[in-house]
């Protein structure tokens, strides 16, 4: 069974870059035909699909976030990462990584527990 675990800072200052890492165990990010996905949920709002990286390294982004979002991977550590630049308080959210069969929050089979990130000075 695939397990995912997010890690990163819980507090980021406005205009800085938020960096989060998702460590995957029980499966390889290079061999499974899934999208390794970042999702967030701001306080009081619904889930937002941010982007994903495929097993072959191809990346896909939410058009509304593409200008300041980057997803990468470290295959030697079986990890994938999210970088969100020029953050504002509106980027405060719980951030999740997940394994999803589509470029959407549909039938995602495994999720991390989520990590709370606050953007504040």
């Amino acid at each position: 069974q695939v397990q995912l675990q997010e890690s990163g800072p819980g507090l980021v200052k406005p205009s800085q870059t938020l960096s989060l890492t998702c460590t995957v165990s029980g499966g390889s990010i290079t061999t499974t035909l899934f999208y390794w996905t970042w999702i967030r949920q701001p306080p009081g709002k619904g889930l937002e699909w941010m982007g994903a990286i495929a097993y072959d390294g191809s990346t896909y982004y939410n058009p509304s976030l593409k200008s300041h979002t980057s997803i990468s991977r470290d295959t030697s550590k079986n990890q994938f990462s999210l970088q969100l630049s020029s953050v504002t308080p509106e980027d405060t959210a719980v951030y999740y990584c997940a394994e999803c069969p589509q470029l959407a929050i549909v039938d995602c089979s495994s999720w991390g527990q989520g990590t709370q990130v606050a953007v504040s000075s």
Side-chain angles (χ1 to χ4, degrees), residues 26-62:
S28 172
I29 64 172
T30 62
T31 60
T32 57
L33 297 179
F34 284 93
Y35 297 101
W36 302 97
T37 304
W38 286 101
I39 296 162
R40 69 180 181 180
Q41 185 168 30
K45 297 184 179 180
L47 296 170
E48 179 179 31
W49 185 87
M50 299 184 70
I53 187 164
Y55 71 98
D56 63 354
S58 301
T59 52
Y60 305 86
Y61 299 102
N62 184 327

Side-chain angles (χ1 to χ4, degrees), residues 9 11-20 68-70 82-88 117 119:
L11 180 64
V12 182
K13 293 183 178 180
S15 80
Q16 292 188 340
T17 296
L18 165 65
S19 296
L20 297 174
H68 67 124
T69 304
S70 178
L82 171 73
Q83 288 197 315
L84 190 63
S85 62
S86 303
V87 296
T88 71
V117 177
V119 179

Side-chain angles (χ1 to χ4, degrees), residues 1-4 25 34-37 39 97-101 107-112:
Q1 182 179 356
V2 175
Q3 294 183 320
L4 299 94
S25 58
F34 284 93
Y35 297 101
W36 302 97
T37 304
I39 296 162
C97 57
E99 177 192 42
C100 304
D107 295 331
C108 298
S109 53
S110 299
W111 292 68

